[in-house]
PDB file of all heavy atoms in Angstrom:
ATOM      1  N   ALA A  28      90.382 194.702  53.628  1.00  0.00           N
ATOM      2  CA  ALA A  28      89.729 193.537  53.031  1.00  0.00           C
ATOM      3  C   ALA A  28      90.573 192.277  53.164  1.00  0.00           C
ATOM      4  O   ALA A  28      91.794 192.327  53.304  1.00  0.00           O
ATOM      5  CB  ALA A  28      89.441 193.809  51.551  1.00  0.00           C
ATOM      6  N   VAL A  29      89.866 191.157  53.110  1.00  0.00           N
ATOM      7  CA  VAL A  29      90.475 189.836  52.969  1.00  0.00           C
ATOM      8  C   VAL A  29      89.922 189.230  51.686  1.00  0.00           C
ATOM      9  O   VAL A  29      88.705 189.228  51.464  1.00  0.00           O
ATOM     10  CB  VAL A  29      90.125 188.915  54.158  1.00  0.00           C
ATOM     11  CG1 VAL A  29      90.637 187.498  53.888  1.00  0.00           C
ATOM     12  CG2 VAL A  29      90.706 189.454  55.449  1.00  0.00           C
ATOM     13  N   PHE A  30      90.798 188.723  50.831  1.00  0.00           N
ATOM     14  CA  PHE A  30      90.398 188.016  49.613  1.00  0.00           C
ATOM     15  C   PHE A  30      90.564 186.523  49.851  1.00  0.00           C
ATOM     16  O   PHE A  30      91.654 186.069  50.214  1.00  0.00           O
ATOM     17  CB  PHE A  30      91.272 188.448  48.433  1.00  0.00           C
ATOM     18  CG  PHE A  30      91.113 189.882  48.024  1.00  0.00           C
ATOM     19  CD1 PHE A  30      91.893 190.870  48.596  1.00  0.00           C
ATOM     20  CD2 PHE A  30      90.187 190.244  47.059  1.00  0.00           C
ATOM     21  CE1 PHE A  30      91.763 192.195  48.217  1.00  0.00           C
ATOM     22  CE2 PHE A  30      90.042 191.560  46.667  1.00  0.00           C
ATOM     23  CZ  PHE A  30      90.825 192.549  47.251  1.00  0.00           C
ATOM     24  N   ALA A  31      89.497 185.744  49.641  1.00  0.00           N
ATOM     25  CA  ALA A  31      89.546 184.305  49.929  1.00  0.00           C
ATOM     26  C   ALA A  31      88.712 183.518  48.927  1.00  0.00           C
ATOM     27  O   ALA A  31      87.934 184.085  48.150  1.00  0.00           O
ATOM     28  CB  ALA A  31      89.069 184.045  51.358  1.00  0.00           C
ATOM     29  N   GLY A  32      88.864 182.201  48.984  1.00  0.00           N
ATOM     30  CA  GLY A  32      88.123 181.309  48.091  1.00  0.00           C
ATOM     31  C   GLY A  32      87.660 180.072  48.835  1.00  0.00           C
ATOM     32  O   GLY A  32      87.081 180.166  49.897  1.00  0.00           O
ATOM     33  N   HIS A  33      87.923 178.882  48.251  1.00  0.00           N
ATOM     34  CA  HIS A  33      87.685 177.576  48.857  1.00  0.00           C
ATOM     35  C   HIS A  33      86.218 177.145  48.866  1.00  0.00           C
ATOM     36  O   HIS A  33      85.918 175.987  48.604  1.00  0.00           O
ATOM     37  CB  HIS A  33      88.245 177.545  50.282  1.00  0.00           C
ATOM     38  CG  HIS A  33      88.215 176.188  50.924  1.00  0.00           C
ATOM     39  ND1 HIS A  33      88.905 175.104  50.420  1.00  0.00           N
ATOM     40  CD2 HIS A  33      87.570 175.726  52.036  1.00  0.00           C
ATOM     41  CE1 HIS A  33      88.702 174.054  51.177  1.00  0.00           C
ATOM     42  NE2 HIS A  33      87.894 174.396  52.160  1.00  0.00           N
ATOM     43  N   LEU A  34      85.303 178.035  49.184  1.00  0.00           N
ATOM     44  CA  LEU A  34      83.904 177.656  49.336  1.00  0.00           C
ATOM     45  C   LEU A  34      83.165 177.535  48.000  1.00  0.00           C
ATOM     46  O   LEU A  34      82.061 176.984  47.950  1.00  0.00           O
ATOM     47  CB  LEU A  34      83.173 178.673  50.217  1.00  0.00           C
ATOM     48  CG  LEU A  34      83.678 178.819  51.649  1.00  0.00           C
ATOM     49  CD1 LEU A  34      82.927 179.946  52.357  1.00  0.00           C
ATOM     50  CD2 LEU A  34      83.498 177.511  52.414  1.00  0.00           C
ATOM     51  N   HIS A  35      83.729 178.087  46.936  1.00  0.00           N
ATOM     52  CA  HIS A  35      83.055 178.135  45.637  1.00  0.00           C
ATOM     53  C   HIS A  35      81.721 178.882  45.751  1.00  0.00           C
ATOM     54  O   HIS A  35      80.737 178.521  45.090  1.00  0.00           O
ATOM     55  CB  HIS A  35      82.828 176.734  45.058  1.00  0.00           C
ATOM     56  CG  HIS A  35      84.084 176.002  44.723  1.00  0.00           C
ATOM     57  ND1 HIS A  35      84.132 174.994  43.787  1.00  0.00           N
ATOM     58  CD2 HIS A  35      85.354 176.122  45.195  1.00  0.00           C
ATOM     59  CE1 HIS A  35      85.370 174.514  43.709  1.00  0.00           C
ATOM     60  NE2 HIS A  35      86.127 175.185  44.552  1.00  0.00           N
ATOM     61  N   GLN A  36      81.703 179.918  46.573  1.00  0.00           N
ATOM     62  CA  GLN A  36      80.499 180.720  46.797  1.00  0.00           C
ATOM     63  C   GLN A  36      80.888 182.189  46.817  1.00  0.00           C
ATOM     64  O   GLN A  36      81.970 182.563  47.291  1.00  0.00           O
ATOM     65  CB  GLN A  36      79.848 180.356  48.134  1.00  0.00           C
ATOM     66  CG  GLN A  36      79.334 178.932  48.211  1.00  0.00           C
ATOM     67  CD  GLN A  36      78.031 178.729  47.464  1.00  0.00           C
ATOM     68  OE1 GLN A  36      77.088 179.468  47.643  1.00  0.00           O
ATOM     69  NE2 GLN A  36      78.002 177.712  46.613  1.00  0.00           N
ATOM     70  N   ARG A  37      79.989 183.032  46.323  1.00  0.00           N
ATOM     71  CA  ARG A  37      80.244 184.465  46.247  1.00  0.00           C
ATOM     72  C   ARG A  37      79.451 185.200  47.324  1.00  0.00           C
ATOM     73  O   ARG A  37      78.227 185.108  47.378  1.00  0.00           O
ATOM     74  CB  ARG A  37      79.820 184.975  44.866  1.00  0.00           C
ATOM     75  CG  ARG A  37      80.049 186.456  44.643  1.00  0.00           C
ATOM     76  CD  ARG A  37      79.530 186.891  43.284  1.00  0.00           C
ATOM     77  NE  ARG A  37      78.103 187.167  43.296  1.00  0.00           N
ATOM     78  CZ  ARG A  37      77.222 186.686  42.422  1.00  0.00           C
ATOM     79  NH1 ARG A  37      77.619 185.836  41.489  1.00  0.00           N
ATOM     80  NH2 ARG A  37      75.955 187.018  42.493  1.00  0.00           N
ATOM     81  N   PHE A  38      80.158 185.906  48.205  1.00  0.00           N
ATOM     82  CA  PHE A  38      79.493 186.742  49.205  1.00  0.00           C
ATOM     83  C   PHE A  38      80.529 187.605  49.898  1.00  0.00           C
ATOM     84  O   PHE A  38      81.740 187.431  49.720  1.00  0.00           O
ATOM     85  CB  PHE A  38      78.731 185.890  50.240  1.00  0.00           C
ATOM     86  CG  PHE A  38      79.597 184.988  51.071  1.00  0.00           C
ATOM     87  CD1 PHE A  38      80.172 185.427  52.261  1.00  0.00           C
ATOM     88  CD2 PHE A  38      79.853 183.682  50.679  1.00  0.00           C
ATOM     89  CE1 PHE A  38      80.967 184.597  53.028  1.00  0.00           C
ATOM     90  CE2 PHE A  38      80.650 182.839  51.443  1.00  0.00           C
ATOM     91  CZ  PHE A  38      81.210 183.301  52.622  1.00  0.00           C
ATOM     92  N   SER A  39      80.073 188.554  50.695  1.00  0.00           N
ATOM     93  CA  SER A  39      80.968 189.353  51.515  1.00  0.00           C
ATOM     94  C   SER A  39      80.473 189.356  52.946  1.00  0.00           C
ATOM     95  O   SER A  39      79.287 189.160  53.216  1.00  0.00           O
ATOM     96  CB  SER A  39      81.061 190.794  50.994  1.00  0.00           C
ATOM     97  OG  SER A  39      79.840 191.476  51.214  1.00  0.00           O
ATOM     98  N   VAL A  40      81.406 189.546  53.885  1.00  0.00           N
ATOM     99  CA  VAL A  40      81.107 189.577  55.310  1.00  0.00           C
ATOM    100  C   VAL A  40      81.930 190.709  55.919  1.00  0.00           C
ATOM    101  O   VAL A  40      83.070 190.938  55.505  1.00  0.00           O
ATOM    102  CB  VAL A  40      81.484 188.240  55.992  1.00  0.00           C
ATOM    103  CG1 VAL A  40      81.207 188.286  57.488  1.00  0.00           C
ATOM    104  CG2 VAL A  40      80.745 187.079  55.365  1.00  0.00           C
ATOM    105  N   THR A  41      81.379 191.411  56.884  1.00  0.00           N
ATOM    106  CA  THR A  41      82.176 192.402  57.608  1.00  0.00           C
ATOM    107  C   THR A  41      82.466 191.900  59.004  1.00  0.00           C
ATOM    108  O   THR A  41      81.659 191.220  59.626  1.00  0.00           O
ATOM    109  CB  THR A  41      81.449 193.755  57.694  1.00  0.00           C
ATOM    110  OG1 THR A  41      80.165 193.570  58.296  1.00  0.00           O
ATOM    111  CG2 THR A  41      81.276 194.361  56.319  1.00  0.00           C
ATOM    112  N   TYR A  42      83.667 192.241  59.478  1.00  0.00           N
ATOM    113  CA  TYR A  42      84.114 191.798  60.792  1.00  0.00           C
ATOM    114  C   TYR A  42      84.910 192.922  61.444  1.00  0.00           C
ATOM    115  O   TYR A  42      85.672 193.618  60.781  1.00  0.00           O
ATOM    116  CB  TYR A  42      85.009 190.567  60.680  1.00  0.00           C
ATOM    117  CG  TYR A  42      85.561 190.076  62.005  1.00  0.00           C
ATOM    118  CD1 TYR A  42      84.870 189.129  62.746  1.00  0.00           C
ATOM    119  CD2 TYR A  42      86.748 190.580  62.506  1.00  0.00           C
ATOM    120  CE1 TYR A  42      85.363 188.685  63.971  1.00  0.00           C
ATOM    121  CE2 TYR A  42      87.246 190.142  63.723  1.00  0.00           C
ATOM    122  CZ  TYR A  42      86.548 189.199  64.449  1.00  0.00           C
ATOM    123  OH  TYR A  42      87.035 188.775  65.659  1.00  0.00           O
ATOM    124  N   GLY A  43      84.752 193.090  62.727  1.00  0.00           N
ATOM    125  CA  GLY A  43      85.606 193.997  63.459  1.00  0.00           C
ATOM    126  C   GLY A  43      84.878 194.985  64.337  1.00  0.00           C
ATOM    127  O   GLY A  43      85.430 195.481  65.307  1.00  0.00           O
ATOM    128  N   GLU A  44      83.650 195.330  63.993  1.00  0.00           N
ATOM    129  CA  GLU A  44      82.927 196.307  64.779  1.00  0.00           C
ATOM    130  C   GLU A  44      82.711 195.785  66.199  1.00  0.00           C
ATOM    131  O   GLU A  44      82.268 194.661  66.405  1.00  0.00           O
ATOM    132  CB  GLU A  44      81.580 196.613  64.128  1.00  0.00           C
ATOM    133  CG  GLU A  44      81.741 197.253  62.749  1.00  0.00           C
ATOM    134  CD  GLU A  44      80.446 197.276  61.958  1.00  0.00           C
ATOM    135  OE1 GLU A  44      79.514 196.556  62.351  1.00  0.00           O
ATOM    136  OE2 GLU A  44      80.382 197.999  60.964  1.00  0.00           O
ATOM    137  N   ASP A  45      83.048 196.625  67.188  1.00  0.00           N
ATOM    138  CA  ASP A  45      82.883 196.282  68.606  1.00  0.00           C
ATOM    139  C   ASP A  45      83.755 195.097  69.030  1.00  0.00           C
ATOM    140  O   ASP A  45      83.483 194.448  70.032  1.00  0.00           O
ATOM    141  CB  ASP A  45      81.415 195.980  68.944  1.00  0.00           C
ATOM    142  CG  ASP A  45      80.508 197.148  68.598  1.00  0.00           C
ATOM    143  OD1 ASP A  45      80.936 198.300  68.816  1.00  0.00           O
ATOM    144  OD2 ASP A  45      79.408 196.901  68.107  1.00  0.00           O
ATOM    145  N   VAL A  46      84.775 194.796  68.229  1.00  0.00           N
ATOM    146  CA  VAL A  46      85.665 193.693  68.591  1.00  0.00           C
ATOM    147  C   VAL A  46      87.045 194.236  68.931  1.00  0.00           C
ATOM    148  O   VAL A  46      87.495 194.147  70.056  1.00  0.00           O
ATOM    149  CB  VAL A  46      85.757 192.653  67.452  1.00  0.00           C
ATOM    150  CG1 VAL A  46      86.721 191.540  67.832  1.00  0.00           C
ATOM    151  CG2 VAL A  46      84.382 192.087  67.160  1.00  0.00           C
ATOM    152  N   ALA A  47      87.722 194.784  67.949  1.00  0.00           N
ATOM    153  CA  ALA A  47      89.052 195.339  68.197  1.00  0.00           C
ATOM    154  C   ALA A  47      89.138 196.800  67.790  1.00  0.00           C
ATOM    155  O   ALA A  47      89.931 197.544  68.335  1.00  0.00           O
ATOM    156  CB  ALA A  47      90.104 194.527  67.437  1.00  0.00           C
ATOM    157  N   ALA A  48      88.345 197.198  66.826  1.00  0.00           N
ATOM    158  CA  ALA A  48      88.365 198.570  66.325  1.00  0.00           C
ATOM    159  C   ALA A  48      86.922 199.005  66.120  1.00  0.00           C
ATOM    160  O   ALA A  48      86.340 198.758  65.071  1.00  0.00           O
ATOM    161  CB  ALA A  48      89.151 198.650  65.015  1.00  0.00           C
ATOM    162  N   PRO A  49      86.314 199.635  67.115  1.00  0.00           N
ATOM    163  CA  PRO A  49      84.888 199.965  67.049  1.00  0.00           C
ATOM    164  C   PRO A  49      84.482 200.808  65.846  1.00  0.00           C
ATOM    165  O   PRO A  49      83.336 200.738  65.403  1.00  0.00           O
ATOM    166  CB  PRO A  49      84.647 200.725  68.356  1.00  0.00           C
ATOM    167  CG  PRO A  49      85.721 200.250  69.273  1.00  0.00           C
ATOM    168  CD  PRO A  49      86.918 200.007  68.405  1.00  0.00           C
ATOM    169  N   ASP A  50      85.422 201.591  65.302  1.00  0.00           N
ATOM    170  CA  ASP A  50      85.085 202.451  64.170  1.00  0.00           C
ATOM    171  C   ASP A  50      85.608 201.913  62.847  1.00  0.00           C
ATOM    172  O   ASP A  50      85.693 202.636  61.855  1.00  0.00           O
ATOM    173  CB  ASP A  50      85.623 203.865  64.405  1.00  0.00           C
ATOM    174  CG  ASP A  50      87.150 203.877  64.533  1.00  0.00           C
ATOM    175  OD1 ASP A  50      87.721 202.799  64.813  1.00  0.00           O
ATOM    176  OD2 ASP A  50      87.741 204.947  64.360  1.00  0.00           O
ATOM    177  N   HIS A  51      85.978 200.627  62.819  1.00  0.00           N
ATOM    178  CA  HIS A  51      86.522 200.057  61.585  1.00  0.00           C
ATOM    179  C   HIS A  51      86.124 198.591  61.474  1.00  0.00           C
ATOM    180  O   HIS A  51      86.094 197.874  62.472  1.00  0.00           O
ATOM    181  CB  HIS A  51      88.053 200.161  61.559  1.00  0.00           C
ATOM    182  CG  HIS A  51      88.672 199.589  60.318  1.00  0.00           C
ATOM    183  ND1 HIS A  51      88.674 200.251  59.115  1.00  0.00           N
ATOM    184  CD2 HIS A  51      89.289 198.400  60.089  1.00  0.00           C
ATOM    185  CE1 HIS A  51      89.272 199.514  58.204  1.00  0.00           C
ATOM    186  NE2 HIS A  51      89.655 198.375  58.770  1.00  0.00           N
ATOM    187  N   SER A  52      85.836 198.141  60.276  1.00  0.00           N
ATOM    188  CA  SER A  52      85.549 196.730  60.046  1.00  0.00           C
ATOM    189  C   SER A  52      86.310 196.245  58.824  1.00  0.00           C
ATOM    190  O   SER A  52      86.635 197.019  57.922  1.00  0.00           O
ATOM    191  CB  SER A  52      84.042 196.493  59.848  1.00  0.00           C
ATOM    192  OG  SER A  52      83.570 197.214  58.726  1.00  0.00           O
ATOM    193  N   VAL A  53      86.620 194.956  58.822  1.00  0.00           N
ATOM    194  CA  VAL A  53      87.304 194.304  57.711  1.00  0.00           C
ATOM    195  C   VAL A  53      86.255 193.620  56.846  1.00  0.00           C
ATOM    196  O   VAL A  53      85.392 192.913  57.359  1.00  0.00           O
ATOM    197  CB  VAL A  53      88.320 193.263  58.225  1.00  0.00           C
ATOM    198  CG1 VAL A  53      89.066 192.617  57.062  1.00  0.00           C
ATOM    199  CG2 VAL A  53      89.288 193.901  59.206  1.00  0.00           C
ATOM    200  N   THR A  54      86.334 193.802  55.541  1.00  0.00           N
ATOM    201  CA  THR A  54      85.422 193.134  54.618  1.00  0.00           C
ATOM    202  C   THR A  54      86.069 191.863  54.093  1.00  0.00           C
ATOM    203  O   THR A  54      87.153 191.917  53.499  1.00  0.00           O
ATOM    204  CB  THR A  54      85.062 194.043  53.436  1.00  0.00           C
ATOM    205  OG1 THR A  54      84.477 195.253  53.920  1.00  0.00           O
ATOM    206  CG2 THR A  54      84.064 193.352  52.507  1.00  0.00           C
ATOM    207  N   VAL A  55      85.443 190.727  54.341  1.00  0.00           N
ATOM    208  CA  VAL A  55      85.926 189.449  53.824  1.00  0.00           C
ATOM    209  C   VAL A  55      85.212 189.189  52.502  1.00  0.00           C
ATOM    210  O   VAL A  55      83.982 189.085  52.455  1.00  0.00           O
ATOM    211  CB  VAL A  55      85.654 188.308  54.820  1.00  0.00           C
ATOM    212  CG1 VAL A  55      86.155 186.982  54.249  1.00  0.00           C
ATOM    213  CG2 VAL A  55      86.318 188.595  56.159  1.00  0.00           C
ATOM    214  N   LEU A  56      85.984 189.107  51.425  1.00  0.00           N
ATOM    215  CA  LEU A  56      85.437 188.958  50.078  1.00  0.00           C
ATOM    216  C   LEU A  56      85.673 187.537  49.577  1.00  0.00           C
ATOM    217  O   LEU A  56      86.815 187.115  49.398  1.00  0.00           O
ATOM    218  CB  LEU A  56      86.099 189.960  49.126  1.00  0.00           C
ATOM    219  CG  LEU A  56      85.923 191.432  49.473  1.00  0.00           C
ATOM    220  CD1 LEU A  56      86.806 192.295  48.583  1.00  0.00           C
ATOM    221  CD2 LEU A  56      84.466 191.841  49.344  1.00  0.00           C
ATOM    222  N   GLN A  57      84.607 186.818  49.350  1.00  0.00           N
ATOM    223  CA  GLN A  57      84.674 185.452  48.826  1.00  0.00           C
ATOM    224  C   GLN A  57      84.197 185.451  47.368  1.00  0.00           C
ATOM    225  O   GLN A  57      83.236 186.142  47.028  1.00  0.00           O
ATOM    226  CB  GLN A  57      83.763 184.529  49.637  1.00  0.00           C
ATOM    227  CG  GLN A  57      84.161 184.338  51.082  1.00  0.00           C
ATOM    228  CD  GLN A  57      85.252 183.322  51.284  1.00  0.00           C
ATOM    229  OE1 GLN A  57      85.943 183.335  52.297  1.00  0.00           O
ATOM    230  NE2 GLN A  57      85.442 182.437  50.314  1.00  0.00           N
ATOM    231  N   VAL A  58      84.876 184.678  46.527  1.00  0.00           N
ATOM    232  CA  VAL A  58      84.427 184.479  45.156  1.00  0.00           C
ATOM    233  C   VAL A  58      84.238 182.989  44.902  1.00  0.00           C
ATOM    234  O   VAL A  58      84.819 182.148  45.581  1.00  0.00           O
ATOM    235  CB  VAL A  58      85.414 185.064  44.119  1.00  0.00           C
ATOM    236  CG1 VAL A  58      85.456 186.580  44.195  1.00  0.00           C
ATOM    237  CG2 VAL A  58      86.807 184.476  44.304  1.00  0.00           C
ATOM    238  N   GLY A  59      83.419 182.678  43.911  1.00  0.00           N
ATOM    239  CA  GLY A  59      83.213 181.289  43.523  1.00  0.00           C
ATOM    240  C   GLY A  59      84.347 180.801  42.639  1.00  0.00           C
ATOM    241  O   GLY A  59      85.347 181.488  42.421  1.00  0.00           O
ATOM    242  N   THR A  60      84.205 179.612  42.119  1.00  0.00           N
ATOM    243  CA  THR A  60      85.217 179.091  41.205  1.00  0.00           C
ATOM    244  C   THR A  60      85.094 179.787  39.853  1.00  0.00           C
ATOM    245  O   THR A  60      83.989 179.988  39.341  1.00  0.00           O
ATOM    246  CB  THR A  60      85.096 177.573  41.031  1.00  0.00           C
ATOM    247  OG1 THR A  60      86.028 177.139  40.022  1.00  0.00           O
ATOM    248  CG2 THR A  60      83.699 177.142  40.627  1.00  0.00           C
ATOM    249  N   ALA A  61      86.237 180.135  39.281  1.00  0.00           N
ATOM    250  CA  ALA A  61      86.212 180.830  37.999  1.00  0.00           C
ATOM    251  C   ALA A  61      86.043 179.882  36.824  1.00  0.00           C
ATOM    252  O   ALA A  61      85.290 180.175  35.888  1.00  0.00           O
ATOM    253  CB  ALA A  61      87.494 181.637  37.827  1.00  0.00           C
ATOM    254  N   THR A  62      86.696 178.722  36.874  1.00  0.00           N
ATOM    255  CA  THR A  62      86.779 177.900  35.662  1.00  0.00           C
ATOM    256  C   THR A  62      86.473 176.422  35.873  1.00  0.00           C
ATOM    257  O   THR A  62      86.544 175.650  34.926  1.00  0.00           O
ATOM    258  CB  THR A  62      88.191 178.017  35.054  1.00  0.00           C
ATOM    259  OG1 THR A  62      89.154 177.636  36.039  1.00  0.00           O
ATOM    260  CG2 THR A  62      88.479 179.441  34.615  1.00  0.00           C
ATOM    261  N   SER A  63      86.140 176.007  37.088  1.00  0.00           N
ATOM    262  CA  SER A  63      85.911 174.592  37.365  1.00  0.00           C
ATOM    263  C   SER A  63      84.451 174.213  37.159  1.00  0.00           C
ATOM    264  O   SER A  63      83.548 175.043  37.312  1.00  0.00           O
ATOM    265  CB  SER A  63      86.322 174.270  38.806  1.00  0.00           C
ATOM    266  OG  SER A  63      85.945 172.954  39.157  1.00  0.00           O
ATOM    267  N   HIS A  64      84.219 172.932  36.881  1.00  0.00           N
ATOM    268  CA  HIS A  64      82.838 172.431  36.804  1.00  0.00           C
ATOM    269  C   HIS A  64      82.265 172.152  38.197  1.00  0.00           C
ATOM    270  O   HIS A  64      81.083 171.837  38.332  1.00  0.00           O
ATOM    271  CB  HIS A  64      82.765 171.168  35.939  1.00  0.00           C
ATOM    272  CG  HIS A  64      83.630 170.033  36.416  1.00  0.00           C
ATOM    273  ND1 HIS A  64      83.371 169.314  37.567  1.00  0.00           N
ATOM    274  CD2 HIS A  64      84.756 169.505  35.884  1.00  0.00           C
ATOM    275  CE1 HIS A  64      84.292 168.378  37.724  1.00  0.00           C
ATOM    276  NE2 HIS A  64      85.151 168.465  36.722  1.00  0.00           N
ATOM    277  N   ARG A  65      83.067 172.312  39.246  1.00  0.00           N
ATOM    278  CA  ARG A  65      82.602 172.106  40.624  1.00  0.00           C
ATOM    279  C   ARG A  65      81.970 173.415  41.127  1.00  0.00           C
ATOM    280  O   ARG A  65      82.518 174.115  41.960  1.00  0.00           O
ATOM    281  CB  ARG A  65      83.766 171.664  41.510  1.00  0.00           C
ATOM    282  CG  ARG A  65      84.425 170.379  41.047  1.00  0.00           C
ATOM    283  CD  ARG A  65      85.655 170.052  41.866  1.00  0.00           C
ATOM    284  NE  ARG A  65      85.268 169.800  43.262  1.00  0.00           N
ATOM    285  CZ  ARG A  65      86.063 170.050  44.293  1.00  0.00           C
ATOM    286  NH1 ARG A  65      87.242 170.610  44.098  1.00  0.00           N
ATOM    287  NH2 ARG A  65      85.662 169.776  45.520  1.00  0.00           N
ATOM    288  N   ARG A  66      80.816 173.738  40.601  1.00  0.00           N
ATOM    289  CA  ARG A  66      80.224 175.058  40.825  1.00  0.00           C
ATOM    290  C   ARG A  66      79.423 175.189  42.114  1.00  0.00           C
ATOM    291  O   ARG A  66      79.154 176.284  42.569  1.00  0.00           O
ATOM    292  CB  ARG A  66      79.333 175.417  39.627  1.00  0.00           C
ATOM    293  CG  ARG A  66      80.112 175.806  38.397  1.00  0.00           C
ATOM    294  CD  ARG A  66      79.203 176.065  37.214  1.00  0.00           C
ATOM    295  NE  ARG A  66      78.922 174.837  36.489  1.00  0.00           N
ATOM    296  CZ  ARG A  66      79.659 174.385  35.473  1.00  0.00           C
ATOM    297  NH1 ARG A  66      80.737 175.056  35.084  1.00  0.00           N
ATOM    298  NH2 ARG A  66      79.358 173.265  34.854  1.00  0.00           N
ATOM    299  N   ARG A  67      78.982 174.112  42.698  1.00  0.00           N
ATOM    300  CA  ARG A  67      78.193 174.137  43.930  1.00  0.00           C
ATOM    301  C   ARG A  67      76.991 175.081  43.826  1.00  0.00           C
ATOM    302  O   ARG A  67      76.794 175.969  44.662  1.00  0.00           O
ATOM    303  CB  ARG A  67      79.071 174.499  45.128  1.00  0.00           C
ATOM    304  CG  ARG A  67      80.152 173.455  45.405  1.00  0.00           C
ATOM    305  CD  ARG A  67      80.950 173.742  46.656  1.00  0.00           C
ATOM    306  NE  ARG A  67      82.054 172.792  46.769  1.00  0.00           N
ATOM    307  CZ  ARG A  67      83.282 173.098  47.189  1.00  0.00           C
ATOM    308  NH1 ARG A  67      83.568 174.321  47.568  1.00  0.00           N
ATOM    309  NH2 ARG A  67      84.210 172.169  47.258  1.00  0.00           N
ATOM    310  N   ASP A  68      76.239 174.905  42.775  1.00  0.00           N
ATOM    311  CA  ASP A  68      74.968 175.621  42.578  1.00  0.00           C
ATOM    312  C   ASP A  68      75.140 177.122  42.394  1.00  0.00           C
ATOM    313  O   ASP A  68      74.191 177.891  42.609  1.00  0.00           O
ATOM    314  CB  ASP A  68      73.995 175.357  43.738  1.00  0.00           C
ATOM    315  CG  ASP A  68      73.638 173.889  43.862  1.00  0.00           C
ATOM    316  OD1 ASP A  68      73.482 173.237  42.812  1.00  0.00           O
ATOM    317  OD2 ASP A  68      73.531 173.390  44.996  1.00  0.00           O
TER     318      ASP A  68
END
């Protein structure tokens, strides 16, 4: 997994299949802002 922020949006993405490791993918985990009023909907 990769843990990331910046976008103030919650979602996950998988990466890696058929790129470098055909039988493995990396999950990119994004979270929104925890405590800011800059919520971006």
Side-chain angles (χ1 to χ4, degrees):
V29 173
F30 294 89
H33 188 62
L34 298 175
H35 295 204
Q36 296 283 310
R37 181 183 83 230
F38 63 88
S39 70
V40 178
T41 56
Y42 178 91
E44 297 167 345
D45 303 321
V46 178
D50 61 340
H51 180 78
S52 61
V53 182
T54 302
V55 179
L56 300 171
Q57 295 279 158
V58 293
T60 174
T62 57
S63 172
H64 58 70
R65 301 174 64 210
R66 285 176 273 270
R67 296 185 186 141
D68 299 322

